[in-house]
């Protein structure tokens, strides 16, 4: 078997074209969606992600403002910036790029963002809404994964989805979303014993660990759909958590890295920003 390679770039592009039209319609009503991104410290990967978000906003006509703050910034200063953005009529979405330096409490910062502007879906109120099935901003990467599966007509209902990774950003919210779509969900993590016994059962296998090529062909059921959320840097190149060259001969569909989930994460952030503008301005 040779897997269909899921073209995240193409699917994200289609979504962005739709959003571009929505932005134009909002402009006709004198509304321009606005996104504020707060980036603390010098982590090169975070800087690169934020540049990608900034460029994507520009290409759609979304206003964006990036606050690049030194790693020494205090929690109080950061909270002050967030409070100002909560009140700003130009800003509909606020995103604090994670991780934050260890002297800043991530949970305090995320709680300070107005739930109505929480385009990451990380505020506890929105996390709770997702868990209980109420409408809310969906976290961008998990939402992007669901969009990829749906676009490729990969059935979710009744299927066994196995997620490797239990982060608050990907693993846990993705489990909630897959449950909403009536999958049977298993979450595995670094302490899972006999990981392969679980991954081998997956109709949909999602790797979100951040460990280079850890999913090998012997861990994948023949015909499974394999979604690689991993982003690892090797000599300046991006490589996923899945051994793509091996696994593509076992799976029925597979996402590449780069060009799979990554572009969808940004597209879903743009989607949430447009949604936030529509809700706040209606
Ligand atoms: N760091 C890695 N992924 C993300 C994300 O989706 N949102 C934010 N805010 N930070 C991240």
């Amino acid at each position: 078997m040779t897997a269909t390679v899921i073209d995240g770039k193409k699917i994200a592009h289609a979504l962005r074209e739709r959003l571009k039209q929505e932005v134009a319609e909002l402009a006709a009503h004198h509304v321009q969606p606005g996104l504020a991104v707060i980036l603390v410290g010098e982590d090169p990967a975070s800087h690169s992600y934020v540049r990608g978000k900034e460029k994507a906003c520009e290409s759609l006509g979304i206003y964006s403002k990036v606050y690049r703050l030194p790693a020494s910034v205090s929690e109080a200063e950061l909270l002050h910036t967030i409070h100002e953005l909560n009140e700003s009529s130009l800003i509909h979405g606020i995103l604090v790029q994670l991780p934050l330096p260890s002297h800043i409490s991530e949970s305090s910062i995320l709680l300070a963002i107005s739930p109505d502007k929480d385009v990451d879906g990380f505020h506890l109120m929105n996390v709770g809404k997702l868990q209980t099935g109420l409408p809310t901003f969906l976290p961008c990467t998990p939402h992007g994964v669901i969009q990829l599966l749906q676009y490729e007509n990969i059935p979710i209902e009744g299927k066994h989805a196995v997620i490797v990774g239990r982060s608050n950003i990907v693993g846990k919210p993705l489990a909630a979303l897959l449950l909403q779509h009536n999958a049977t969900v298993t979450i595995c993590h670094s302490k899972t014993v006999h990981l392969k016994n679980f991954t081998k059962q997956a109709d949909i296998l999602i790797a979100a660990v951040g460990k280079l090529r850890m999913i090998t062909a012997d861990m994948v059921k023949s015909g499974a759909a394999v979604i690689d959320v991993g982003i690892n840097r090797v000599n300046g190149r991006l490589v996923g958590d899945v051994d793509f060259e091996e696994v593509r001969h076992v799976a029925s569909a597979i996402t590449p890295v780069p060009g799979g989930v990554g572009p969808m994460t940004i597209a879903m952030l743009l989607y949430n920003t447009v949604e936030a503008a529509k809700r706040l301005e209606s």
Side-chain angles (χ1 to χ4, degrees):
M1 177 176 299
T2 303
T4 302
V5 178
I6 300 175
D7 188 346
K9 253 178 155 165
K10 183 185 83 182
I11 301 167
H13 179 76
L15 228 148
R16 283 163 65 148
E17 286 303 304
R18 280 216 320 262
L19 289 172
K20 213 183 249 180
Q21 279 180 11
E22 290 203 38
V23 172
E25 282 161 28
L26 285 169
H29 293 90
H30 309 290
V31 173
Q32 183 183 28
L35 174 70
V37 178
I38 300 176
L39 172 56
V40 181
E42 298 305 327
D43 177 48
S46 290
H47 274 261
S48 155
Y49 298 147
V50 168
R51 267 196 305 280
K53 291 168 184 176
E54 212 176 359
K55 271 171 54 189
C57 284
E58 198 182 317
S59 75
L60 250 69
I62 293 175
Y63 168 70
S64 71
K65 184 159 171 61
V66 179
Y67 295 76
R68 292 184 173 83
L69 305 175
S72 58
V73 72
S74 69
E75 190 172 309
E77 283 173 273
L78 203 48
L79 287 170
H80 179 73
T81 304
I82 292 171
H83 292 142
E84 280 189 349
L85 292 168
N86 283 342
E87 298 302 320
S88 166
S89 57
L90 294 177
I91 295 300
H92 304 94
I94 303 170
L95 180 149
V96 177
Q97 185 69 26
L98 302 177
L100 289 168
S102 55
H103 68 279
I104 296 174
S105 157
E106 186 179 298
S107 57
S108 305
I109 295 300
L110 295 178
L111 262 183
I113 297 171
S114 162
D116 295 331
K117 296 189 176 185
D118 173 34
V119 285
D120 255 332
F122 293 165
H123 188 286
L124 286 187
M125 164 117 82
N126 290 331
V127 173
K129 283 185 174 180
L130 173 61
Q131 289 296 330
T132 49
L134 291 171
T136 182
F137 293 112
L138 302 179
C140 303
T141 301
H143 193 192
V145 169
I146 299 289
Q147 291 287 317
L148 283 180
L149 294 170
Q150 290 182 328
Y151 190 95
E152 293 292 319
N153 292 315
I154 294 168
I156 303 175
E157 183 162 313
K159 299 297 176 186
H160 188 187
V162 177
I163 303 169
V164 188
R166 56 175 156 178
S167 70
N168 291 333
I169 293 179
V170 182
K172 287 181 204 160
L174 183 52
L177 274 179
L178 287 162
L179 274 175
Q180 272 180 24
H181 286 84
N182 299 317
T184 301
V185 180
T186 300
I187 305 184
C188 301
H189 48 79
S190 53
K191 301 287 188 290
T192 297
V193 180
H194 302 313
L195 177 64
K196 181 176 158 180
N197 288 352
F198 294 93
T199 58
K200 263 276 189 195
Q201 292 178 38
D203 302 306
I204 301 168
L205 178 60
I206 292 141
V209 195
K211 231 170 133 186
L212 188 70
R213 297 192 194 99
M214 70 161 298
I215 302 293
T216 46
D218 58 310
M219 298 170 77
V220 178
K221 179 164 87 172
S222 175
V226 179
I227 307 293
D228 191 349
V229 185
I231 300 179
N232 308 287
R233 276 163 213 271
V234 183
N235 302 326
R237 268 181 58 232
L238 296 184
V239 184
D241 288 352
V242 175
D243 188 334
F244 181 87
E245 285 308 326
E246 268 193 28
V247 172
R248 69 186 303 186
H249 299 298
V250 182
S252 61
I254 186 168
T255 60
V257 176
V261 174
M264 293 302 290
T265 296
I266 294 194
M268 302 329 294
L269 172 65
L270 300 169
Y271 174 87
N272 280 351
T273 304
V274 171
E275 280 302 301
K278 287 200 289 197
R279 286 187 215 165
L280 287 166
E281 300 289 345
S282 65

